[in-house]
Amino acid sequence: MSASGVRRPSVKDVAREAGVSFQTVSRVLNGGSRVAESTRQRVLEVAAELGYRRNDNARALVMQRSMTIGVIADGSPRYGPVSTLAAVEKAARDAGYNAFVTTMSNPSPDDAIQAFHEFSKRAVEGIVVIAPRMPIADVVRAVPVTVPVVLLAPGETSHDKFTVFFEDQELGARLATRHLIDLGHREIVHLAGSQDWLDGQVRLRGWQSELAAANLPAPAVQYGRWTGDSAYDIGRKLLAEGLPSAVFVASDLMALGFMRALYEAGVSVPRDISIVGFDDNEFAPQTFPPLTTVRQSFGVVGERCMEILLGLVRGTPVDVTPAVPQLVVRQSTAPAR
């Protein structure tokens, strides 16, 4: 009964109205795959018409499971970590799980131990660690855990204590660099992100690898700090020293700051210099000119992360093949002059 005294519709009510078995309804509502798409849609439509709502607390008691995962994030306001956290939380909800999130801005072994202790009190079934920076990945290795752990850490490898998954950002950097090479550019500078970030390291490595594969020299790396201001300063510096033919920038926000310096100096993009960013931030199509960039599939990362974690929880095989980014070509790149 609800608080108003009206009986809530049950799974059996949905099954009867949809003309299917109780087991079929259960499979649909729990995300099972062995159901025809037409049947799935019918069950979901009937559930919506009846106002059926799954009682996750009762389900957890019956299954003796908490239906909760723990998530560790570093609290960064940057686009990538924030988007990854949002994607993981949504994927957890879609799978019927609650996500208990804790942040470790300045991670230490004590911080990690405390976080895992809090997770233990909530009987989490697994833990996702979003580790864009080296310190988080390092402290996780040092803490004993008793539940499956998925570490979202680009370029890292799995360990006996955790399973690593990531989007192949090194490939993304290679796609960006190859695009510029294919346009005829031979002097391609990299404006790198902070190198205490795994993202910054793998994007730098991808640029280096693609230039080496094309037998092109790697110009001096220009190190930024993921901020538009740092990229603006680098733009002013390169204007004074002499601009290259093309630049691969490690984030869209830095690309925006770099382009501002060029605009103030009267340099035309892409007539005078081609620029590729990384992330496909929502403002990337709105820059002038619209920014060619590498799109990260944060939704896919969140979904795959939960698939892997639930597979580890259930003891079933998991696929940790990295997600594949996509090059999005817009108007900030053009053939070399």
Side-chain angles (χ1 to χ4, degrees):
M1 289 284 184
S2 68
S4 62
V6 178
R7 187 178 72 84
R8 289 174 175 157
S10 67
V11 172
K12 291 182 179 179
D13 295 327
V14 176
R16 182 175 60 254
E17 289 297 320
V20 298
S21 68
F22 171 90
Q23 291 83 357
T24 297
V25 174
S26 180
R27 279 197 293 271
V28 170
L29 298 179
N30 289 310
S33 59
R34 294 180 298 167
V35 181
E37 185 57 31
S38 58
T39 301
R40 183 187 304 279
Q41 290 301 319
R42 173 62 179 156
V43 168
L44 293 175
E45 289 171 3
V46 169
E49 290 170 1
L50 295 179
Y52 172 79
R53 295 292 183 272
R54 187 174 67 181
N55 187 330
D56 283 335
N57 290 331
R59 177 170 174 254
L61 286 172
V62 170
M63 302 177 71
Q64 295 185 325
R65 291 166 57 184
S66 69
M67 303 303 294
T68 300
I69 65 164
V71 180
I72 292 177
D74 77 339
S76 169
R78 302 295 175 206
Y79 179 72
V82 168
S83 298
T84 302
L85 175 58
V88 169
E89 286 189 293
K90 181 181 184 301
R93 289 196 306 273
D94 291 345
Y97 278 72
N98 298 308
F100 178 72
V101 180
T102 187
T103 59
M104 292 196 302
S105 300
N106 297 298
S108 69
D110 287 343
D111 291 334
I113 290 171
Q114 180 61 32
F116 285 123
H117 177 65
E118 290 297 322
F119 291 155
S120 179
K121 289 195 299 185
R122 287 167 172 77
V124 300
E125 297 181 35
I127 299 169
V128 175
V129 181
I130 301 172
R133 295 184 298 147
M134 287 298 297
I136 291 185
D138 290 340
V139 297
V140 168
R141 293 187 182 92
V143 179
V145 293
T146 57
V147 296
V149 176
V150 173
L151 183 68
L152 281 170
E156 292 292 284
T157 55
S158 294
H159 185 273
D160 58 355
K161 290 168 51 180
F162 54 76
T163 299
V164 170
F165 175 68
F166 54 86
E167 185 156 24
D168 194 343
Q169 297 182 43
E170 183 171 346
L171 171 62
R174 296 193 71 147
L175 292 174
T177 308
R178 170 52 58 184
H179 172 64
L180 293 169
I181 293 171
D182 288 345
L183 288 172
H185 296 283
R186 294 298 177 263
E187 185 188 9
I188 303 169
V189 165
H190 180 42
L191 202 170
S194 303
Q195 292 301 292
D196 62 335
W197 285 57
L198 295 168
D199 308 68
Q201 294 177 20
V202 297
R203 295 176 196 184
L204 171 59
R205 191 159 63 236
W207 166 78
Q208 291 171 328
S209 298
E210 197 61 33
L211 287 180
N215 294 314
L216 292 176
V221 179
Q222 305 295 315
Y223 293 101
R225 301 183 303 277
W226 297 124
T227 65
D229 286 343
S230 68
Y232 174 81
D233 292 339
I234 291 170
R236 296 285 299 272
K237 171 175 172 284
L238 291 180
L239 282 163
E241 296 175 352
L243 288 175
S245 173
V247 176
F248 163 46
V249 189
S251 80
D252 291 347
L253 179 59
M254 289 200 298
L256 192 64
F258 185 76
M259 291 168 73
R260 179 166 69 93
L262 300 180
Y263 174 78
E264 290 178 355
V267 174
S268 174
V269 178
R271 185 190 66 197
D272 300 322
I273 183 172
S274 286
I275 299 173
V276 181
F278 203 108
D279 286 333
D280 198 24
N281 199 304
E282 63 179 337
F283 63 70
Q286 311 308 323
T287 62
F288 185 78
L291 183 63
T292 294
T293 186
V294 177
R295 175 180 296 161
Q296 295 198 79
S297 304
F298 294 110
V300 172
V301 168
E303 292 169 4
R304 289 281 309 282
C305 180
M306 279 304 299
E307 288 176 5
I308 292 168
L309 187 63
L310 294 181
L312 295 172
V313 168
R314 297 163 182 163
T316 57
V318 295
D319 176 12
V320 295
T321 304
V324 178
Q326 174 189 358
L327 179 70
V328 181
V329 179
R330 298 193 178 99
Q331 285 78 58
S332 66
T333 53
R337 297 178 64 185

